[in-house]
Amino acid sequence: RPEEWVARLGGTLLPNGTVRRPTGGIIEELPGYQEGMFWVQDVAAALPARLLGEVRGRRVLDLCAAPGGKTAQLALAGARVIAVEQSPARAAILRSNLARLNLTAEIVEADVRTYRPPAPADCVLLDPPCTSTGTIRRHPDIPWIKRPEDIPRLAALQRELLVAALAMLAPGGTLVYAVCSLEPEEGPEVVTAVAATHPLERLPVRREELGGLDVELTATGEVRTLPIHLAEHGGMDGFYLA
């Protein structure tokens, strides 16, 4: 009920249904938070799950899943979700968030590179570790704590994770690859490298899949959000979505 929560939280309703509220206050003390009426997620981070389309009743893998915003989206939409997270501490946060929201998913603590589900999934969402340079508007320390050598190291990991994710996907299924990085080495170059050696089709994103958000589509039909997008409402995180 987004219109109700716009009023209760003093926020603004964005085209995709996200409620954007002004900065300030302790999140856990906001009305409705403890009752599980909403979760906190940047508007750009809400896009990857949308690109899987209608997921009700479908088997969906959410890989590198914590803290669980995308898992929550998928569970709320009626998907049968397996959320895979390697870090026990982050998996605990994921469990806590789902419990607060009264949503259900199977949570597996495992390395995506070696984990395999009981059966191939209809849909797979992979949001792998990255340099997070797209979150610079919320984390202005990013340029100071990241190093050039972080990019090739993470890109190598992302390629491994994408190859593993494809191995979990049923033939004809849909995989969404998402990174909150502005670096091409972590986005289109990862997908291009894996596509050169694995049987996959790069499907162009349609504007109507973006929930009314005015963001960029690349020449190959993939999504690039930037911190300057949605500037009138405070911007959004930078993401690459394929």
Side-chain angles (χ1 to χ4, degrees):
R1 303 191 301 275
E3 292 82 3
E4 174 186 335
W5 291 100
V6 164
R8 293 191 64 181
L9 296 172
T12 301
L13 184 61
L14 302 183
N16 71 327
T18 292
V19 176
R20 172 70 62 85
R21 69 180 304 277
T23 299
I26 299 172
I27 291 169
E28 291 81 2
E29 295 181 358
L30 293 175
Y33 181 85
Q34 298 297 344
E35 295 78 15
M37 300 308 297
F38 61 86
W39 63 87
V40 179
Q41 183 181 34
D42 188 76
V43 62
L47 285 174
R50 294 182 66 100
L51 297 185
L52 290 174
E54 177 55 63
V55 294
R56 183 168 300 279
R58 305 187 79 187
R59 295 163 298 161
V60 181
L61 286 170
D62 184 9
L63 306 179
C64 309
K70 300 174 187 68
T71 302
Q73 272 183 280
L74 295 166
L76 187 64
R80 294 180 288 149
V81 185
I82 299 177
V84 183
E85 173 57 50
Q86 183 176 11
S87 163
R90 287 173 59 79
I93 295 171
L94 173 56
R95 288 189 181 92
S96 175
N97 282 332
L98 289 181
R100 179 180 61 81
L101 295 163
N102 196 29
L103 293 172
T104 302
E106 179 183 346
I107 299 173
V108 177
E109 293 181 23
D111 187 330
V112 167
R113 292 171 293 184
T114 55
Y115 169 77
R116 292 298 179 269
D122 302 311
C123 301
V124 176
L125 196 163
L126 173 63
D127 185 356
C130 71
T131 56
S132 303
T133 51
T135 68
I136 189 170
R137 56 183 259 281
R138 295 188 293 112
H139 299 288
D141 56 327
I142 287 284
W144 303 98
I145 63 174
K146 302 298 180 180
R147 296 290 178 264
E149 56 268 24
D150 292 336
I151 298 173
R153 175 180 59 81
L154 286 165
L157 173 62
Q158 291 151 4
R159 290 192 295 270
E160 288 184 55
L161 292 169
L162 181 52
V163 169
L166 285 168
M168 305 182 209
L169 186 67
T174 301
L175 184 148
V176 169
Y177 175 81
V179 280
C180 57
S181 169
L182 301 176
E183 317 312 313
E185 297 94 330
E186 298 181 85
E189 292 181 20
V190 168
V191 176
T192 297
V194 173
T197 55
H198 292 77
L200 61 87
E201 179 183 2
R202 293 171 77 160
L203 299 173
V205 174
R206 303 185 310 276
R207 281 255 166 230
E208 55 267 30
E209 296 179 280
L210 299 176
L213 293 174
D214 185 17
V215 298
E216 293 181 9
L217 292 178
T218 69
T220 51
E222 289 151 0
V223 181
R224 166 59 75 195
T225 69
L226 296 170
I228 60 170
H229 290 150
L230 214 67
E232 67 276 18
H233 295 295
M236 67 167 68
D237 285 352
F239 260 85
Y240 168 80
L241 310 173

